[in-house]
Amino acid sequence: MSESAAPEKADFWFDPLCPFAWITSRWIGEVEQVRNISVDWHVMSLSVLNEGRDLPEEYQETMLKGWGPVRVIIAARELHGEEYVKKLYDAMGTRIHIGQNKDFDVVIRESLDEVGLPADLARYAHTDEYDRQLRASHQDGIDRVGDEVGTPVVAFNGTAFFGPVLTKIPRGEAAGRIFDGAVLMSEFPEFYELKRSRTSSPSFD
């Protein structure tokens, strides 16, 4: 693709808790190195998605804790600007998935410090002050793909899908080729789904 061509447009909805969203987001980062794309980053929430559902007790506990990171990212966006959405996602996701830190209060505190935001933003993890904005961001992604999905949701030039779900981060030109295929499929309004059973666990290498 020539440098003068208009960039392909991608929108990415994530929850920092989701390992598959993390892998897909790192894939998008690889794509940015080999394709001309513009990416906007948005929050969605597994805690919102799973409200009212009958869940195993351990997962219910995770969903209760899961409000914190997304609330803080939304508060940062509202108070300090859109550019902090991706910065905080990178900082939190590195700690949660690479560092395997499941103490989200610590993750939030360290991530705010890393990106240069005030420490007192951490208090929004435990308040619903910006939940209206959080739910609106979440719903924006869901409205594009329907209710029977999780994270990530990715839109290519306005056409959104759940996924792609990857268990390993594609690198270099391989990442670009997967992106080319996803964009190609997005050009056909009749295309809806490709799926197979997953047989491997997430790898963050």
Side-chain angles (χ1 to χ4, degrees), residues 146-160:
D147 294 327
E148 298 303 317
V149 301
T151 59
V153 168
V154 182
F156 303 108
N157 299 320
T159 300

Side-chain angles (χ1 to χ4, degrees), residues 43-45 48 67-81 120-139:
V43 173
M44 67 184 297
S45 170
V48 172
W67 286 95
V70 288
R71 280 173 164 169
V72 170
I73 294 174
I74 289 291
R77 186 195 73 182
E78 294 297 304
L79 296 172
H80 296 277
D120 65 2
L121 279 175
R123 69 183 181 86
Y124 291 104
H126 304 288
T127 173
D128 63 2
E129 185 169 345
Y130 288 104
D131 278 11
R132 179 179 61 82
Q133 292 90 333
L134 169 59
R135 291 177 183 276
S137 180
H138 173 86
Q139 195 63 43

Side-chain angles (χ1 to χ4, degrees), residues 69 72-73 75-77 80 84 87-88 91-92 95 104-125:
V72 170
I73 294 174
R77 186 195 73 182
H80 296 277
Y84 286 103
K87 290 179 181 179
L88 279 174
M92 290 182 183
R95 287 164 173 80
F104 295 154
D105 286 334
V106 172
V107 166
I108 289 166
R109 184 174 66 248
E110 291 181 352
S111 297
L112 289 170
D113 181 64
E114 178 181 321
V115 304
L117 285 173
D120 65 2
L121 279 175
R123 69 183 181 86
Y124 291 104

Side-chain angles (χ1 to χ4, degrees), residues 13-29:
W13 282 263
F14 65 87
D15 185 318
L17 272 63
C18 179
F20 296 105
W22 179 252
I23 289 174
T24 305
S25 72
R26 301 311 96 177
W27 162 65
I28 287 287

Side-chain angles (χ1 to χ4, degrees), residues 2-205:
S2 72
E3 291 299 319
S4 61
E8 303 281 0
K9 180 68 168 63
D11 288 272
F12 194 107
W13 282 263
F14 65 87
D15 185 318
L17 272 63
C18 179
F20 296 105
W22 179 252
I23 289 174
T24 305
S25 72
R26 301 311 96 177
W27 162 65
I28 287 287
E30 290 288 315
V31 174
E32 288 180 302
Q33 304 303 311
V34 295
R35 296 292 186 272
N36 184 17
I37 66 169
S38 171
V39 187
D40 288 337
W41 298 86
H42 315 274
V43 173
M44 67 184 297
S45 170
L46 291 171
S47 299
V48 172
L49 187 70
N50 286 290
E51 278 184 314
R53 295 184 179 181
D54 186 16
L55 303 170
E57 184 175 346
E58 183 178 353
Y59 196 65
Q60 286 181 351
E61 183 179 342
T62 300
M63 290 301 95
L64 286 173
K65 292 167 56 180
W67 286 95
V70 288
R71 280 173 164 169
V72 170
I73 294 174
I74 289 291
R77 186 195 73 182
E78 294 297 304
L79 296 172
H80 296 277
E82 194 78 35
E83 67 269 23
Y84 286 103
V85 172
K86 177 62 160 48
K87 290 179 181 179
L88 279 174
Y89 180 34
D90 290 345
M92 290 182 183
T94 298
R95 287 164 173 80
I96 293 169
H97 302 297
I98 307 303
Q100 291 295 300
N101 189 344
K102 305 307 180 186
D103 186 335
F104 295 154
D105 286 334
V106 172
V107 166
I108 289 166
R109 184 174 66 248
E110 291 181 352
S111 297
L112 289 170
D113 181 64
E114 178 181 321
V115 304
L117 285 173
D120 65 2
L121 279 175
R123 69 183 181 86
Y124 291 104
H126 304 288
T127 173
D128 63 2
E129 185 169 345
Y130 288 104
D131 278 11
R132 179 179 61 82
Q133 292 90 333
L134 169 59
R135 291 177 183 276
S137 180
H138 173 86
Q139 195 63 43
D140 184 28
I142 291 297
D143 284 347
R144 299 169 188 243
V145 291
D147 294 327
E148 298 303 317
V149 301
T151 59
V153 168
V154 182
F156 303 108
N157 299 320
T159 300
F161 300 101
F162 165 54
V165 175
L166 304 162
T167 57
K168 191 171 183 179
I169 304 165
R171 305 289 184 181
E173 184 58 22
R177 290 174 60 203
I178 294 171
F179 178 75
D180 295 341
V183 170
L184 180 61
M185 288 186 292
S186 75
E187 294 174 357
F188 293 86
E190 300 82 9
F191 173 77
Y192 286 93
E193 184 174 2
L194 277 175
K195 189 172 184 179
R196 62 176 175 161
S197 297
R198 180 171 55 82
T199 57
S200 60
S201 298
S203 171
F204 307 123
D205 296 334

